[in-house]
PDB file of all heavy atoms in Angstrom:
ATOM      1  N   ILE A 484     -14.766  32.550   1.809  1.00 97.00           N
ATOM      2  CA  ILE A 484     -14.055  32.056   2.980  1.00 97.00           C
ATOM      3  C   ILE A 484     -14.386  32.995   4.130  1.00 97.00           C
ATOM      4  O   ILE A 484     -14.122  34.196   4.049  1.00 97.00           O
ATOM      5  CB  ILE A 484     -12.534  32.006   2.729  1.00 97.00           C
ATOM      6  CG1 ILE A 484     -12.228  31.108   1.527  1.00 97.00           C
ATOM      7  CG2 ILE A 484     -11.814  31.479   3.977  1.00 97.00           C
ATOM      8  CD1 ILE A 484     -10.744  30.971   1.207  1.00 97.00           C
ATOM      9  N   TYR A 485     -15.000  32.465   5.164  1.00 97.00           N
ATOM     10  CA  TYR A 485     -15.497  33.319   6.238  1.00 97.00           C
ATOM     11  C   TYR A 485     -14.692  33.201   7.530  1.00 97.00           C
ATOM     12  O   TYR A 485     -14.984  33.871   8.496  1.00 97.00           O
ATOM     13  CB  TYR A 485     -16.981  33.013   6.492  1.00 97.00           C
ATOM     14  CG  TYR A 485     -17.795  33.069   5.212  1.00 97.00           C
ATOM     15  CD1 TYR A 485     -18.167  31.908   4.551  1.00 97.00           C
ATOM     16  CD2 TYR A 485     -18.121  34.302   4.642  1.00 97.00           C
ATOM     17  CE1 TYR A 485     -18.881  31.961   3.362  1.00 97.00           C
ATOM     18  CE2 TYR A 485     -18.835  34.369   3.449  1.00 97.00           C
ATOM     19  CZ  TYR A 485     -19.212  33.188   2.811  1.00 97.00           C
ATOM     20  OH  TYR A 485     -19.891  33.250   1.637  1.00 97.00           O
ATOM     21  N   SER A 486     -13.707  32.293   7.562  1.00 96.00           N
ATOM     22  CA  SER A 486     -12.877  32.179   8.769  1.00 96.00           C
ATOM     23  C   SER A 486     -11.528  31.551   8.422  1.00 96.00           C
ATOM     24  O   SER A 486     -11.382  30.905   7.376  1.00 96.00           O
ATOM     25  CB  SER A 486     -13.568  31.293   9.815  1.00 96.00           C
ATOM     26  OG  SER A 486     -13.561  29.954   9.360  1.00 96.00           O
ATOM     27  N   ASP A 487     -10.551  31.733   9.316  1.00 96.00           N
ATOM     28  CA  ASP A 487      -9.228  31.130   9.103  1.00 96.00           C
ATOM     29  C   ASP A 487      -9.332  29.610   9.071  1.00 96.00           C
ATOM     30  O   ASP A 487      -8.615  28.938   8.323  1.00 96.00           O
ATOM     31  CB  ASP A 487      -8.273  31.544  10.227  1.00 96.00           C
ATOM     32  CG  ASP A 487      -7.860  33.006  10.079  1.00 96.00           C
ATOM     33  OD1 ASP A 487      -8.044  33.566   8.965  1.00 96.00           O
ATOM     34  OD2 ASP A 487      -7.379  33.587  11.066  1.00 96.00           O
ATOM     35  N   THR A 488     -10.214  29.088   9.908  1.00 97.00           N
ATOM     36  CA  THR A 488     -10.371  27.634   9.957  1.00 97.00           C
ATOM     37  C   THR A 488     -10.826  27.080   8.607  1.00 97.00           C
ATOM     38  O   THR A 488     -10.361  26.034   8.158  1.00 97.00           O
ATOM     39  CB  THR A 488     -11.407  27.266  11.043  1.00 97.00           C
ATOM     40  OG1 THR A 488     -10.989  27.894  12.242  1.00 97.00           O
ATOM     41  CG2 THR A 488     -11.492  25.783  11.251  1.00 97.00           C
ATOM     42  N   GLU A 489     -11.739  27.806   7.961  1.00 97.00           N
ATOM     43  CA  GLU A 489     -12.178  27.355   6.631  1.00 97.00           C
ATOM     44  C   GLU A 489     -11.024  27.414   5.634  1.00 97.00           C
ATOM     45  O   GLU A 489     -10.879  26.535   4.801  1.00 97.00           O
ATOM     46  CB  GLU A 489     -13.288  28.265   6.110  1.00 97.00           C
ATOM     47  CG  GLU A 489     -14.638  27.961   6.689  1.00 97.00           C
ATOM     48  CD  GLU A 489     -15.555  29.136   6.431  1.00 97.00           C
ATOM     49  OE1 GLU A 489     -15.855  29.429   5.272  1.00 97.00           O
ATOM     50  OE2 GLU A 489     -15.927  29.795   7.423  1.00 97.00           O
ATOM     51  N   ARG A 490     -10.234  28.505   5.751  1.00 97.00           N
ATOM     52  CA  ARG A 490      -9.106  28.629   4.823  1.00 97.00           C
ATOM     53  C   ARG A 490      -8.143  27.454   5.010  1.00 97.00           C
ATOM     54  O   ARG A 490      -7.658  26.875   4.051  1.00 97.00           O
ATOM     55  CB  ARG A 490      -8.391  29.963   5.028  1.00 97.00           C
ATOM     56  CG  ARG A 490      -7.391  30.272   3.918  1.00 97.00           C
ATOM     57  CD  ARG A 490      -6.765  31.655   4.038  1.00 97.00           C
ATOM     58  NE  ARG A 490      -7.716  32.733   3.871  1.00 97.00           N
ATOM     59  CZ  ARG A 490      -8.257  33.429   4.869  1.00 97.00           C
ATOM     60  NH1 ARG A 490      -7.901  33.163   6.126  1.00 97.00           N
ATOM     61  NH2 ARG A 490      -9.134  34.390   4.661  1.00 97.00           N
ATOM     62  N   GLU A 491      -7.910  27.089   6.267  1.00 96.00           N
ATOM     63  CA  GLU A 491      -7.020  25.937   6.545  1.00 96.00           C
ATOM     64  C   GLU A 491      -7.583  24.655   5.934  1.00 96.00           C
ATOM     65  O   GLU A 491      -6.869  23.877   5.316  1.00 96.00           O
ATOM     66  CB  GLU A 491      -6.895  25.709   8.058  1.00 96.00           C
ATOM     67  CG  GLU A 491      -5.877  26.593   8.737  1.00 96.00           C
ATOM     68  CD  GLU A 491      -6.027  26.533  10.259  1.00 96.00           C
ATOM     69  OE1 GLU A 491      -6.294  25.446  10.799  1.00 96.00           O
ATOM     70  OE2 GLU A 491      -5.893  27.600  10.895  1.00 96.00           O
ATOM     71  N   LEU A 492      -8.887  24.471   6.112  1.00 98.00           N
ATOM     72  CA  LEU A 492      -9.520  23.262   5.567  1.00 98.00           C
ATOM     73  C   LEU A 492      -9.451  23.265   4.037  1.00 98.00           C
ATOM     74  O   LEU A 492      -9.122  22.244   3.418  1.00 98.00           O
ATOM     75  CB  LEU A 492     -10.977  23.187   6.054  1.00 98.00           C
ATOM     76  CG  LEU A 492     -11.836  22.045   5.503  1.00 98.00           C
ATOM     77  CD1 LEU A 492     -11.210  20.676   5.786  1.00 98.00           C
ATOM     78  CD2 LEU A 492     -13.252  22.091   6.110  1.00 98.00           C
ATOM     79  N   LEU A 493      -9.715  24.421   3.436  1.00 98.00           N
ATOM     80  CA  LEU A 493      -9.657  24.507   1.970  1.00 98.00           C
ATOM     81  C   LEU A 493      -8.260  24.215   1.459  1.00 98.00           C
ATOM     82  O   LEU A 493      -8.073  23.540   0.446  1.00 98.00           O
ATOM     83  CB  LEU A 493     -10.103  25.904   1.508  1.00 98.00           C
ATOM     84  CG  LEU A 493     -11.617  26.112   1.518  1.00 98.00           C
ATOM     85  CD1 LEU A 493     -11.952  27.591   1.517  1.00 98.00           C
ATOM     86  CD2 LEU A 493     -12.266  25.417   0.319  1.00 98.00           C
ATOM     87  N   LEU A 494      -7.257  24.731   2.178  1.00 97.00           N
ATOM     88  CA  LEU A 494      -5.883  24.496   1.746  1.00 97.00           C
ATOM     89  C   LEU A 494      -5.563  22.995   1.838  1.00 97.00           C
ATOM     90  O   LEU A 494      -4.964  22.413   0.928  1.00 97.00           O
ATOM     91  CB  LEU A 494      -4.906  25.313   2.594  1.00 97.00           C
ATOM     92  CG  LEU A 494      -3.471  25.279   2.106  1.00 97.00           C
ATOM     93  CD1 LEU A 494      -3.341  25.905   0.713  1.00 97.00           C
ATOM     94  CD2 LEU A 494      -2.538  26.004   3.078  1.00 97.00           C
ATOM     95  N   LYS A 495      -6.017  22.367   2.917  1.00 97.00           N
ATOM     96  CA  LYS A 495      -5.802  20.920   3.058  1.00 97.00           C
ATOM     97  C   LYS A 495      -6.454  20.190   1.877  1.00 97.00           C
ATOM     98  O   LYS A 495      -5.878  19.263   1.311  1.00 97.00           O
ATOM     99  CB  LYS A 495      -6.419  20.402   4.365  1.00 97.00           C
ATOM    100  CG  LYS A 495      -5.648  20.779   5.608  1.00 97.00           C
ATOM    101  CD  LYS A 495      -4.615  19.713   5.920  1.00 97.00           C
ATOM    102  CE  LYS A 495      -3.756  19.989   7.118  1.00 97.00           C
ATOM    103  NZ  LYS A 495      -3.154  21.291   7.278  1.00 97.00           N
ATOM    104  N   LEU A 496      -7.662  20.610   1.526  1.00 98.00           N
ATOM    105  CA  LEU A 496      -8.359  19.973   0.407  1.00 98.00           C
ATOM    106  C   LEU A 496      -7.596  20.194  -0.900  1.00 98.00           C
ATOM    107  O   LEU A 496      -7.462  19.289  -1.720  1.00 98.00           O
ATOM    108  CB  LEU A 496      -9.780  20.534   0.275  1.00 98.00           C
ATOM    109  CG  LEU A 496     -10.767  20.079   1.346  1.00 98.00           C
ATOM    110  CD1 LEU A 496     -12.010  20.961   1.344  1.00 98.00           C
ATOM    111  CD2 LEU A 496     -11.154  18.616   1.154  1.00 98.00           C
ATOM    112  N   ALA A 497      -7.062  21.410  -1.047  1.00 98.00           N
ATOM    113  CA  ALA A 497      -6.367  21.747  -2.288  1.00 98.00           C
ATOM    114  C   ALA A 497      -5.066  20.968  -2.440  1.00 98.00           C
ATOM    115  O   ALA A 497      -4.567  20.783  -3.542  1.00 98.00           O
ATOM    116  CB  ALA A 497      -6.086  23.246  -2.327  1.00 98.00           C
ATOM    117  N   LEU A 498      -4.520  20.497  -1.309  1.00 97.00           N
ATOM    118  CA  LEU A 498      -3.203  19.855  -1.355  1.00 97.00           C
ATOM    119  C   LEU A 498      -3.270  18.326  -1.314  1.00 97.00           C
ATOM    120  O   LEU A 498      -2.240  17.654  -1.246  1.00 97.00           O
ATOM    121  CB  LEU A 498      -2.335  20.374  -0.206  1.00 97.00           C
ATOM    122  CG  LEU A 498      -1.962  21.856  -0.315  1.00 97.00           C
ATOM    123  CD1 LEU A 498      -1.218  22.322   0.920  1.00 97.00           C
ATOM    124  CD2 LEU A 498      -1.122  22.102  -1.567  1.00 97.00           C
ATOM    125  N   CYS A 499      -4.475  17.756  -1.373  1.00 98.00           N
ATOM    126  CA  CYS A 499      -4.587  16.293  -1.297  1.00 98.00           C
ATOM    127  C   CYS A 499      -3.830  15.613  -2.442  1.00 98.00           C
ATOM    128  O   CYS A 499      -3.228  14.554  -2.255  1.00 98.00           O
ATOM    129  CB  CYS A 499      -6.058  15.869  -1.303  1.00 98.00           C
ATOM    130  SG  CYS A 499      -6.842  16.221   0.281  1.00 98.00           S
ATOM    131  N   GLY A 500      -3.874  16.224  -3.622  1.00 98.00           N
ATOM    132  CA  GLY A 500      -3.172  15.625  -4.763  1.00 98.00           C
ATOM    133  C   GLY A 500      -1.696  15.405  -4.453  1.00 98.00           C
ATOM    134  O   GLY A 500      -1.102  14.394  -4.852  1.00 98.00           O
TER     135      GLY A 500
END
Side-chain angles (χ1 to χ4, degrees):
I484 302 181
Y485 308 101
S486 70
D487 287 343
T488 307
E489 280 164 65
R490 191 175 295 101
E491 277 167 39
L492 176 57
L493 282 161
L494 188 63
K495 286 270 179 313
L496 287 165
L498 294 175
C499 286

